[in-house]
Amino acid sequence: MFPLRFHPRPRTTRRTVRALLLPLFAGLALAGLPSTTAQATTSLGNGGFEAGSAPTPTPAGWSTYSAANQHTASYTEAGGRSGGHRLSHWSPSAYKVETYQYLSGIANGPWTLTAWVRSSGGQNSAHLALRNCGSAEQRTALPVSTGPWVRIVTSVTVTGNQCTISINSDARAGNWINVDDVTFAPGRTGVPAKGADVSSLPKSEALGGVYRSSGGAAGDGLAILKSHGMNYARLKVWVNPADGWNNKPRVLAMAKRVKAQGMKLLVDFHYSDIWADPGTQSRPAAWAGHDYEQLKADVRTHTHDVMSALKAQGTTPDMVQIGNEINGGMLWPDGATSNWPQLAGLLNAGHDAAKAVSPTTAVALHLAEGGDWDGIRWWFDNAVAQGVRFDVIGLSFYGYWHGTLAELQTTLDGSAARFGKPVFVAETAYPFRLGSKDAHTDIIDQENELIPGYPATPAGQAAWLADITSVVEAVPNGRGLGVFYWEAPWTAVPGNGWDPTDPKSGNGWENQALFGYDDRALPAADWFRHR
C-alpha cells in the first residue's frame, strides 16, 4: 500500500439506512407480557424464524430475557433473508434484550454457530454468543450493514453436553438488528493468521520513534504487538530504495526479530525501488531498459537471492507475495495485464524461485479492491488460464474505498470457491481519530470519508478490525486464512515519511496506526487475541 499513490475515487453513493418498519404491537398490545422461560431442546429449532405467525413477540422455540418492560424489543417480522420472516431487535427507547435457545444432550466437542445478520450500528453491544457450554463464552459482534445480509460465525468447545445460543442487544433508542438462517453444527472456526505489516518499524526506531504498552511502559514495538497476540508479521522488500530501508539487508535484520518473537513471516516482494500498487508498478532503476526475458531473469534472481539469505539465517518465510497490489500487472509495461502471457511468465518466475528455496513456503498473489468480485474474478480467471502458479489469494480491503463488508464477503467467498485457494485480507486499516500529528495531510481526515457506523475513535477502529475478521472467519470450508493490519507501527516520526527519496516527507497514515498519538497501543491491538 503506497500512502499517496493510487487514491481511488471515493464512492459518491452510499446505501441509506433502511427505515425499520415499526410492528403494530411494539410497545402496545404486548407491553404487559412477561419474559418467556427457556425450554431445553436437543437441537436448534426454528433457525429461520418461520414457525408461527408474524409479527410475533417471541419466535417459536426461542426464549426472551430482557430488562423490565423491554421484552417486546425482540420479535419476528416479515422480510427474511431466505424465507418470509426474520428476527428483529428494535425499540423506540433504549433497551436490553436477549433471544436465546438452551440446548441439552448435545455431543461434546467443537460446535459452530452461523447466522446471517444486518445491523444499524450504534449499539453499546450487539452480538451472537455461545455461553454455558462448559468452556469460555464466545462472542461475535454484528457488523454494521443496513442493506445486504452478512454471514458471521462463532464457535465453542462444548464439554457438558449443553450450550445456550444467544442473540443480544444492548442498544440506544432506534438501534436495530435483523437475524436469520441461524444454524448450529459440529465444527470449529478461527483465523490462523492475525498479523500486521511492520515494515516501517526499524526506521521509526532509528529516528527516535517510541512505542508504549497500553499502560504507558516504553518497549520494543514488535514485542508489544506480540504481547497483544499478534502471530504473523509482514515485511515489504524493495530492490534498491533511495533511503536504504526495506531492502534485502534491512529485511534480513527485521526477519530475525520477527522469528525471535515466535511469529510467522510474510515477505512482500514489490519488485520496485518504491511503492508498487494498482496505480504504480515502477521497475527498479537497476532493471531499467531490460527486455522481457531479462526481466524474468531479474525476478527469478532477486527472489531466489532474498529467499536464500533468509533461509540461511534461519528465518525462512512462511509465505511470500509475488508482487504487491498487482491488479494491473507488474513491471510495466512488459508485465501489464494487457499482455497476460508475459505477466504470467514474470509471476511464475517469482513463484518458482521461491519454491526452489523453500517448497513449503506459501506463495500468494495480492490484489487491491477486495470488494470488487467482478474485477477479482476476471483477474484470477486470466491467471489460471495462463497457467500462473500460486497457493493463496490476498486482497487489500479499505472500506472507505473498496466497498461494503457484504461486497468483501462476496469476493472472499467467491474466490475461495472458484479457485479452491485459501483467502486472506492482506491489508486493511482504519482511523482512531481525525487530525494529523505532523504537517502532512492524512489520507482519511474528514468525517464524510468514514464508513457509516464506524466513527474515527479507538472503539470505531477496534470494531472495524473485529468485523473485517468476522467476514474472513466466515469463509466456508475453513478457507479464511486471516487478516493483516497495514503498517501498525507507522507513527508520525520526522524523517520516516512516505517518500524514500525525501526525508522531509510526512506520514499520511499515522492516524490509522495501532499506536496512538501518545505512543500507546490502542484497543484495536487486542484484536490479535481473536480465537
Side-chain angles (χ1 to χ4, degrees):
M1 185 67 181
F2 169 43
L4 280 184
R5 67 174 197 338
F6 168 65
H7 204 296
R9 178 174 56 85
R11 296 187 172 211
T12 56
T13 58
R14 293 278 190 184
R15 291 188 176 92
T16 56
V17 177
R18 175 185 56 85
L20 185 67
L21 297 178
L22 174 64
L24 294 177
F25 60 82
L28 297 175
L30 303 178
L33 294 180
S35 299
T36 57
T37 302
Q39 300 294 322
T41 60
T42 57
S43 62
L44 179 70
N46 194 23
F49 305 101
E50 300 299 326
S53 59
T56 186
T58 299
W62 295 81
S63 302
T64 303
Y65 177 81
S66 68
N69 297 321
Q70 293 179 345
H71 48 276
T72 54
S74 172
Y75 51 86
T76 57
E77 62 176 343
R81 171 187 166 268
S82 61
H85 301 94
R86 67 192 180 209
L87 173 73
S88 293
H89 287 178
W90 179 89
S91 176
S93 57
Y95 64 96
K96 294 182 181 180
V97 67
E98 176 189 16
T99 307
Y100 66 100
Q101 277 193 46
Y102 168 58
L103 307 182
S104 65
I106 59 176
N108 289 334
W111 286 78
T112 294
L113 177 68
T114 303
W116 289 84
V117 302
R118 300 190 293 197
S119 172
S120 66
Q123 300 93 341
N124 299 315
S125 177
H127 63 270
L128 305 180
L130 295 172
R131 55 183 181 80
N132 303 325
C133 307
S135 58
E137 178 178 324
Q138 297 294 316
R139 294 184 177 185
T140 296
L142 272 65
V144 178
S145 181
T146 59
W149 295 84
V150 176
R151 183 184 61 253
I152 60 174
V153 297
T154 190
S155 63
V156 73
T157 299
V158 174
T159 62
N161 301 112
Q162 63 182 15
C163 194
T164 297
I165 296 166
S166 177
I167 303 166
N168 291 266
S169 291
D170 177 358
R172 299 177 174 87
N175 295 158
W176 58 268
I177 67 170
N178 300 150
V179 180
D180 203 2
D181 297 332
V182 181
T183 62
F184 189 58
R188 188 184 306 282
T189 67
V191 284
K194 292 162 281 189
D197 195 305
V198 294
S199 301
S200 66
L201 179 61
K203 184 176 180 181
S204 173
E205 293 170 329
L207 294 171
V210 175
Y211 297 89
R212 300 183 184 277
S213 69
S214 55
D220 179 337
L222 188 64
I224 291 170
L225 293 171
K226 169 65 185 300
S227 73
H228 283 267
M230 184 172 127
N231 66 4
Y232 226 127
R234 180 180 187 244
L235 302 175
K236 65 175 174 282
V237 58
W238 289 337
V239 177
N240 188 25
D243 63 356
W245 293 90
N246 300 301
N247 58 11
K248 173 186 163 184
R250 302 287 190 177
V251 168
L252 288 171
M254 192 62 187
K256 287 183 177 180
R257 292 177 59 183
V258 169
K259 291 292 187 174
Q261 291 291 337
M263 296 181 187
K264 290 187 175 182
L265 174 64
L266 165 58
V267 173
D268 176 12
F269 286 92
H270 281 231
Y271 303 109
S272 181
D273 294 336
I274 197 168
W275 307 94
D277 56 66
T280 307
Q281 292 285 332
S282 303
R283 64 179 63 190
W287 303 358
H290 288 188
D291 62 16
Y292 169 65
E293 291 299 327
Q294 183 60 52
L295 285 174
K296 278 202 302 183
D298 293 334
V299 169
R300 187 180 303 112
T301 300
H302 172 64
T303 307
H304 193 277
D305 179 48
V306 174
M307 287 287 295
S308 296
L310 286 165
K311 181 178 181 179
Q313 69 173 15
T315 60
T316 303
D318 300 277
M319 180 160 55
V320 295
Q321 289 178 210
I322 305 302
N324 186 79
E325 294 189 331
I326 52 176
N327 300 61
M330 67 183 200
L331 292 169
W332 292 343
D334 299 78
T337 52
S338 58
N339 192 336
W340 263 103
Q342 291 194 172
L343 174 57
L346 294 171
L347 293 172
N348 281 337
H351 170 279
D352 294 351
K355 291 290 190 178
V357 176
S358 174
T360 60
T361 294
V363 172
L365 298 180
H366 170 213
L367 273 63
E369 300 283 352
D372 179 14
W373 170 225
D374 289 342
I376 300 300
R377 179 178 56 208
W378 172 86
W379 198 97
F380 278 99
D381 277 351
N382 277 281
V384 170
Q386 293 294 329
V388 175
R389 296 180 282 278
F390 64 100
D391 303 314
V392 187
I393 293 173
L395 301 173
S396 293
F397 185 76
Y398 298 90
Y400 32 73
W401 296 329
H402 294 163
T404 66
L405 290 171
E407 288 167 332
L408 172 64
Q409 185 159 80
T410 296
T411 304
L412 291 173
D413 289 0
S415 297
R418 188 176 183 89
F419 305 110
K421 306 290 186 180
V423 294
F424 70 103
V425 171
E427 294 182 17
T428 192
Y430 203 75
F432 60 86
R433 60 165 292 167
L434 299 178
S436 179
K437 189 179 180 183
D438 61 18
H440 190 80
T441 301
D442 288 337
I443 293 293
I444 301 298
D445 65 344
Q446 303 293 326
E447 287 283 347
N448 62 9
E449 295 174 320
L450 299 175
I451 302 165
Y454 298 92
T457 63
Q461 181 190 53
W464 175 255
L465 190 47
D467 292 347
I468 285 280
T469 306
S470 293
V471 170
V472 175
E473 187 176 13
V475 174
N477 301 314
R479 287 184 171 145
L481 179 62
V483 177
F484 287 79
Y485 195 85
W486 195 68
E487 280 292 10
W490 198 12
T491 54
V493 176
N496 194 19
W498 67 272
D499 185 354
T501 69
D502 180 8
K504 295 182 180 179
S505 64
N507 177 3
W509 289 82
E510 80 271 19
N511 70 329
Q512 300 191 60
L514 292 186
F515 293 88
Y517 286 4
D518 60 359
D519 302 322
R520 297 187 183 205
L522 290 160
D526 287 334
W527 159 77
F528 292 119
R529 297 191 177 101
H530 186 86
R531 59 180 171 272

